[in-house]
Amino acid sequence: MLKRERQAFILHQVNLHNKVLSSGLSQEIKVSEDTIRRDLQELAEEGKVIKVHGGALSPSFDQLNYPSDKIYSHTQKNIIAQKAVSLIEDGMFILTGGGTTIIEMARNLPPQLRATFISGSIPAIVEYMHHPNCDIIVIGDKISRNSKITVGAEAIKQINQIKADICFLGINAIDIRHGITDNDWEVVQLKKAMIESAQSVVCMTIAEKINTIQPIQIGLLQSIDFLITELPPDSPELQPYVEAGIKVL
Amino acid sequence: MLKRERQAFILHQVNLHNKVLSSGLSQEIKVSEDTIRRDLQELAEEGKVIKVHGGALSPSFDQLNYPSDKIYSHTQKNIIAQKAVSLIEDGMFILTGGGTTIIEMARNLPPQLRATFISGSIPAIVEYMHHPNCDIIVIGDKISRNSKITVGAEAIKQINQIKADICFLGINAIDIRHGITDNDWEVVQLKKAMIESAQSVVCMTIAEKINTIQPIQIGLLQSIDFLITELPPDSPELQPYVEAGIKVL
DNA sequence: GGAAAAACCGCATAAATGCGCAAAATACCG
DNA sequence: CGGTATTTTGCGCATTTATGCGGTTTTTCC
């Protein structure tokens, strides 16, 4: 088989099946894997395929970009995100909710991080997928259109099966007396389950939401371990929480 | 044999077999390889053939000259997508897999459609979320990085709980004897479960994948109900499938 | 952190190529 | 028809290209 002919065949296969294995092609065409690899290299240089360990992919198969909406109070959330990332270590099992703050955290993750993320938030999952060394476990159930996360009994059941190292929640209201509260029944159920399933719980919110109340309670202050806002930890607004035993970042 | 005559013969062979070997032609015509090479050179200068190391290729066969920037077989997939959409009716429970063909279908859904989609494919879910009147149920489990869908025992268990009206699968290989086959074990398990959980199964593929085989079997032809390709249903390539009792669109 | 798979590197080999030249075939012309 | 010019062809040889193999490094997966 001629070299060019072979490359045409390979290209065809790649476009047909979206991926090819060097070993498989080597067997099919009856040439050494070195040859296949050299072919893939050349095709990759021309941009006809994307070379990966073990084979090659179709160039049209890796487009999954998500429109990065402009986020409300982006600057503050970015500060929060960076503080949150500092709590993450390699190898952790990380349970996360949804919301723009979580997305912002996902975008601030170190690129080479090795960790396992568990989430029902579609936008968050899309972000996690940009990290090649991270495993991602999706919480399945019906999607709540408001929050773009999966909610429902099945989702809660799946969360209950998990024991994560740490859980990150973006919260909508926190108050010394009423703890963390929210206004969506299903989301509240989910967050409760997440708090139960994590060794330590990190709540993230912009300072505006400090000392506010929403109709439905997720949990008391005792149930959370960290509180992250864009303010410095020694800000007077945060002192009541420090005194309540919460680690404020 | 005259030179012109010989070149006409060579050209004929090239167009017939898409490729010729200098050595082979040399034997057939009983002239030295130098002569063949000189002939090929001339034909190549006239653009009649493409000369490569060891012989020549038909210009029409050489796909390597085609620019790679346009998405492979996008047009075909769009045709397929539109046929697939015609099977969808308001109120249906629709189970779908992943892959570019499914994404294409998702993008072709009528904007006001009311239906429930069930899928483990993140890119597909993102597309479904653009449809305000659709419910979306996510199949949860670990994400397979290759295929961007959730795979694993938990995913299969969740699929087993479902009885959908219709299931759309983008498939990578189909053959009369071997049925539908694929090359990723986990994805195969998932597709098997999906087929079991749906009243009717729709397979979508571009015609090039017809009569091809991959290493792992998903199911025999009996397990599917519809086959959609970009070809008209009465194409000769598709007749064996029609005779096998599959509704071909 | 270690084993297995894949990729990389350099080298040897075999095939293919180009080139010069001479022989053969063909064309041309008186 | 014979002789010469021109084209075509084949061959030897140096050079380039393509390929496979062994050994080493890198990546991946438990």
Side-chain angles (χ1 to χ4, degrees), chain A residues 16 48 134 141 143 145, chain B residues 64 134 136 138 143 145 209:
Chain A
L16 211 52
K48 306 284 175 56
C134 287
D141 206 330
I143 288 188
R145 218 157 251 293
Chain B
L64 294 174
C134 287
I136 306 158
V138 180
I143 289 187
R145 222 156 247 295
K209 297 183 185 176

Side-chain angles (χ1 to χ4, degrees), chain B residues 181-247:
Chain B
T181 49
D182 211 322
N183 60 12
D184 182 319
W185 174 259
E186 290 186 309
V187 172
V188 166
Q189 300 311 311
L190 208 76
K191 287 186 176 175
K192 277 183 172 176
M194 286 189 172
I195 290 174
E196 284 301 312
S197 285
Q199 299 233 305
S200 80
V201 176
V202 183
C203 286
M204 306 192 279
T205 182
I206 54 174
E208 279 168 324
K209 297 183 185 176
I210 298 268
N211 298 326
T212 66
I213 304 172
Q214 291 276 317
I216 312 168
Q217 188 184 57
I218 297 172
L220 292 173
L221 287 188
Q222 287 76 7
S223 51
I224 75 173
D225 301 283
F226 292 89
L227 176 62
I228 303 182
T229 73
E230 77 276 22
L231 301 173
D234 53 1
S235 303
E237 302 94 306
L238 298 173
Q239 290 324 299
Y241 298 90
V242 175
E243 285 161 23
I246 295 173
K247 302 186 194 85

Side-chain angles (χ1 to χ4, degrees), chain B residues 15-238:
Chain B
N15 290 330
L16 200 58
H17 298 118
N18 284 328
K19 80 161 181 186
V20 288
L21 276 52
S22 307
S23 57
L25 285 174
S26 161
Q27 289 188 338
E28 285 182 63
I29 320 185
K30 304 262 191 302
V31 292
S32 76
E33 291 198 29
D34 287 77
T35 307
I36 299 294
R37 227 175 287 122
R38 275 184 279 246
D39 285 338
L40 292 178
Q41 181 120 30
E42 286 180 31
L43 290 170
E45 280 166 10
E46 297 169 38
K48 308 281 182 59
V49 304
I50 290 171
K51 195 168 172 300
V52 298
H53 213 87
L57 299 174
S58 159
S60 61
F61 180 71
D62 187 28
Q63 317 167 334
L64 294 174
N65 293 333
Y66 288 16
S68 62
D69 51 337
K70 62 177 177 183
I71 297 173
Y72 184 76
S73 42
H74 179 270
T75 321
Q76 287 103 306
K77 288 185 177 167
N78 207 272
I79 296 172
I80 295 171
Q82 288 176 22
K83 290 187 192 175
V85 166
S86 74
L87 292 173
I88 297 176
E89 293 166 21
D90 265 23
M92 273 187 169
F93 274 67
I94 303 163
L95 193 56
T96 79
T100 48
T101 313
I102 296 288
I103 307 293
E104 202 54 40
M105 184 187 82
R107 292 191 176 141
N108 277 276
L109 293 171
Q112 294 306 313
L113 176 71
R114 290 182 181 276
T116 303
F117 285 95
I118 306 150
S119 183
S121 159
I122 305 302
I125 290 166
V126 170
E127 291 299 327
Y128 298 142
M129 282 170 68
H130 294 153
H131 290 263
N133 296 327
C134 287
D135 283 338
I136 306 158
I137 293 172
V138 180
I139 309 291
D141 206 331
K142 186 172 167 180
I143 289 187
S144 151
R145 222 156 247 295
N146 281 334
S147 48
K148 298 186 173 63
I149 62 174
T150 50
V151 297
E154 177 65 29
I156 289 170
K157 209 177 85 186
Q158 290 175 40
I159 292 172
N160 288 340
Q161 293 174 10
I162 295 164
K163 197 70 196 173
D165 295 310
I166 194 164
C167 164
F168 290 90
L169 291 178
I171 59 175
N172 277 321
I174 185 167
D175 177 88
I176 286 285
R177 278 186 48 220
H178 303 86
I180 41 177
T181 49
D182 211 322
N183 60 12
D184 182 319
W185 174 259
E186 290 186 309
V187 172
V188 166
Q189 300 311 311
L190 208 76
K191 287 186 176 175
K192 277 183 172 176
M194 286 189 172
I195 290 174
E196 284 301 312
S197 285
Q199 299 233 305
S200 80
V201 176
V202 183
C203 286
M204 306 192 279
T205 182
I206 54 174
E208 279 168 324
K209 297 183 185 176
I210 298 268
N211 298 326
T212 66
I213 304 172
Q214 291 276 317
I216 312 168
Q217 188 184 57
I218 297 172
L220 292 173
L221 287 188
Q222 287 76 7
S223 51
I224 75 173
D225 301 283
F226 292 89
L227 176 62
I228 303 182
T229 73
E230 77 276 22
L231 301 173
D234 53 1
S235 303
E237 302 94 306
L238 298 173

